Amino acid sequence: MIKRNFILSFFIFLITVTNIQTSKAVEYKAHGILDIRASSTDSLTKGYVAAGQGKFGSNDGQNLSIAQAGLELSAKWDNGFSVHGVLNGYFQGSGDDNDSALGLTEAYIKYKGLPNASGYRMQVKGGVFYPEISLENNAFAWASKDTLNSSTLNTWIGEEIRVLGSEFKVTRLGRLNDDDFDLSFSATAFTSNDPAGALLSWHGWTMSSRQTLWREAREFPWFPARNDGQDLAGQADKSKPFIELDDDIGFHIRTQWSLAHRGEFSVGFYDNKATPYKVIDGQYGWHTRFYHLGTIWHLSKNLSLTAQYLSGDTLMQSPYKKDVVNNDFASGFVSLSYKWQDVFDNKKHKSTLRLEDFSVTDNDNTWGDNNNEDGQAITINHNYRLTKHWFLLAEVNLIDSHRPARYYTHQSVDLIEKQFQLAARYFF
Amino acid sequence: MNNKNITFFLILLIATLSPKSFSFDGCDNKTSGHACIEITVNSQAGETLQDIVVYLEPMDGQVLAQSSKEVVIGQRGKSFTPYISVSQVNAQVNFTNQDDITHHIYSAGSDNKFSFKIRAGQTNNSTQFSHASEVAMGCNIHDWMSGYLLVLNTPYFAKTDKVGQVKFEVTQQGQYRVVVWHPQMQSKDHRMDKSVLIESDTNLIFTLDDDMADIPLQKSDDDFDFLSDY
């Protein structure tokens, strides 16, 4: 409780400092995305969002939806303080298992200082935000800019990884040191991410553009260990990824090296420090930790490479400290984006090819809860910029996976799923 | 006299009474008695170099006038335009944001520290440059932006033209230090200098000892217009 109070006090301090400065000029901004999407999915009857074993966000069949209505609001003061709020909404147009939701995904206060004479710049952030991991979801409201479905790696980040915490970041600017490269290091202390790992274990790696709203509860498929008298009978029907169970503070650290106009490399480590045998109202602590590596590299004027790899483990125990779920997990992708500006003589066309490999290894002996998984995925996207704000996109995704848990609901253990999507996206 | 003639007379009167505006660079309208110094800057390989700053510093205590040159540092296409600006001490420097987004201009150097936000379409002239210095400027929102302002104690300054030349009309004869400067010059303090006695028309050639370093490209690595600034 003391630690939580500390974070709360820090938050209040930031709000106070920001309010003191309100006399100075403030700039309000509203940015966002509207993603109108038609999809055709060849998968299991229910997708993972509707508690099925399908790996896509939508169910089998055709669907029309607002795949993302995202709004990013900010107020920025001249002294470097800013306040940010991000709202996201998802509205399904058809189907019985309507996944419609609207709410907050991020809310934070930021202070970005000016570089000092040695070229070091300090930044502090406090509130609800994504730890800096995804290299795909850097458009407004955490939208992925080159594809409609994020990679399985970043779909998971969007679903289960979010923190209430404080991030301290220091950047050394090469420009002020006669170097071609910038270096940054960040450290985050956080709470409220204790159940992270549950959804990944119980539906495996998935692919969509759906983000979990702050404090939203998400469904997962049925499996025999949830029956009465079994090891997971006490687990609630839905998982709440963003709650605090034990008042222990987790951390995330990250460092990045970027070479001007060539690209960047980053490496980081996340540990939610959750107590794995703590359970409150059917929500268990999952001690989840992983490292992540990433690069963006501009191979030529038109060709860019983005690659990420994430690997870690998660542990959930009974109140008597017996391992109930003990998994290792990994996911990685390599993505190439090509701008057709030399072929079409305009900057409107861009294509992206993404290859992925993912796995979950189940290390425990819990009956009726096999979390093993092994799979590969391929994504091909074409992006056409119609006007300054409107983009038209077409995307094909194919996921080939082996997942024994599908046997519990009498579905194929080995499965190839396909999705084709057309989208009109408006950014503002 | 009809109205037309009155207008003509008035214009003539105003033109005669207004102080003569004097340009310190260029010798095209040279007054007799003044000396013209022509300076050429060549690369190590003998090629002419454009946009290199050249200035004259008086060494015999010559008192020189204040340049009336207006200095405008534009922010256009998320870059400092021009990359290098030059001004005389105490001259007004206007920062003009021609983009449709906000910039946060700063200089981190202890010598000439300043910062201000400048909204789309606005001009800011709040910063006074009261002593000679080399000001390296950046934008705290767009890290790739990089520009320089060279503040000098002399009105004799210019950037080399297409053929690598500058000319100055020197009103007061005497000893001058001729300095050639560019942030990417690979020499001590990014400069070269020569001391010359200017009494009559003079030609001077500078040849750099080393190749110039690459001028930083003021361009974002990602041309997507809707990135979140995390």
Side-chain angles (χ1 to χ4, degrees), chain A residues 143-277:
Chain A
S144 135
K145 74 181 165 72
D146 292 333
T147 56
L148 294 173
N149 283 341
S150 297
S151 61
T152 55
L153 189 163
N154 289 317
T155 300
W156 178 55
I157 300 297
E159 185 181 36
E160 284 204 292
I161 305 299
R162 200 86 42 85
V163 301
L164 168 60
S166 308
E167 180 197 77
F168 177 80
K169 182 175 183 177
V170 59
T171 306
R172 178 187 181 275
L173 293 170
R175 197 174 62 73
L176 294 164
N177 285 286
D178 277 336
D179 287 324
D180 287 340
F181 61 88
D182 292 344
L183 267 176
S184 74
F185 176 79
S186 67
T188 307
F190 67 83
T191 66
S192 303
N193 207 188
D194 285 347
L199 295 166
L200 176 61
S201 297
W202 288 331
H203 62 44
W205 295 97
T206 59
M207 191 187 270
S208 77
S209 54
R210 177 71 154 84
Q211 302 170 55
T212 302
L213 307 172
W214 182 245
R215 293 286 155 92
E216 186 187 6
R218 301 288 299 267
E219 291 182 278
F220 51 87
W222 176 85
F223 48 93
R226 287 175 67 185
N227 284 347
D228 285 349
Q230 300 302 330
D231 285 340
L232 283 158
Q235 164 68 40
D237 286 347
K238 292 181 178 181
S239 179
K240 295 178 176 173
F242 311 136
I243 57 172
E244 180 59 36
L245 296 166
D246 59 8
D247 286 336
D248 279 346
I249 290 177
F251 69 92
H252 176 240
I253 49 170
R254 180 182 189 270
T255 184
Q256 179 176 315
W257 175 88
S258 33
L259 186 62
H261 310 301
R262 295 307 306 277
E264 62 181 55
F265 285 99
S266 57
V267 53
F269 183 75
Y270 165 104
D271 187 341
N272 70 354
K273 299 285 253 179
T275 308
Y277 47 84

Side-chain angles (χ1 to χ4, degrees), chain B residues 84-105:
Chain B
I84 298 172
S85 302
V86 193
S87 79
Q88 194 174 353
V89 163
N90 293 326
Q92 180 169 306
V93 179
N94 296 313
F95 289 83
T96 309
N97 182 359
Q98 294 154 40
D99 285 330
D100 58 2
I101 45 157
T102 300
H103 289 294
H104 191 175
I105 309 300

Side-chain angles (χ1 to χ4, degrees), chain A residues 118-153:
Chain A
S118 319
Y120 287 88
R121 177 173 59 204
M122 193 190 79
Q123 181 180 295
V124 189
K125 208 162 147 176
V128 174
F129 55 88
Y130 280 100
E132 209 179 341
I133 297 170
S134 174
L135 298 181
E136 295 182 302
N137 304 79
N138 40 16
F140 293 136
W142 213 73
S144 135
K145 74 181 165 72
D146 292 333
T147 56
L148 294 173
N149 283 341
S150 297
S151 61
T152 55
L153 189 163

Side-chain angles (χ1 to χ4, degrees), chain B residues 194-209:
Chain B
K194 281 179 190 173
S195 176
V196 238
L197 181 67
I198 305 175
E199 286 175 328
S200 56
D201 291 1
T202 313
N203 287 325
L204 204 58
I205 296 175
F206 281 86
T207 304
L208 305 195
D209 295 333

Side-chain angles (χ1 to χ4, degrees), chain A residues 361-417:
Chain A
T361 307
D362 189 326
N363 301 313
D364 59 75
N365 297 315
T366 303
W367 178 86
D369 182 30
N370 186 337
N371 306 131
N372 282 307
E373 175 169 273
D374 186 29
Q376 290 79 39
I378 180 168
T379 295
I380 300 167
N381 179 291
H382 191 80
N383 189 335
Y384 175 72
R385 188 174 193 175
L386 189 64
T387 64
K388 182 173 163 53
H389 296 279
W390 279 103
F391 294 78
L392 299 177
L393 301 94
E395 181 169 303
V396 179
N397 312 105
L398 206 137
I399 306 174
D400 182 354
S401 66
H402 171 82
R403 182 169 178 83
R406 285 195 284 251
Y407 173 77
Y408 300 140
T409 45
H410 311 292
Q411 296 174 103
S412 307
V413 169
D414 291 289
L415 188 67
I416 294 178
E417 294 159 272

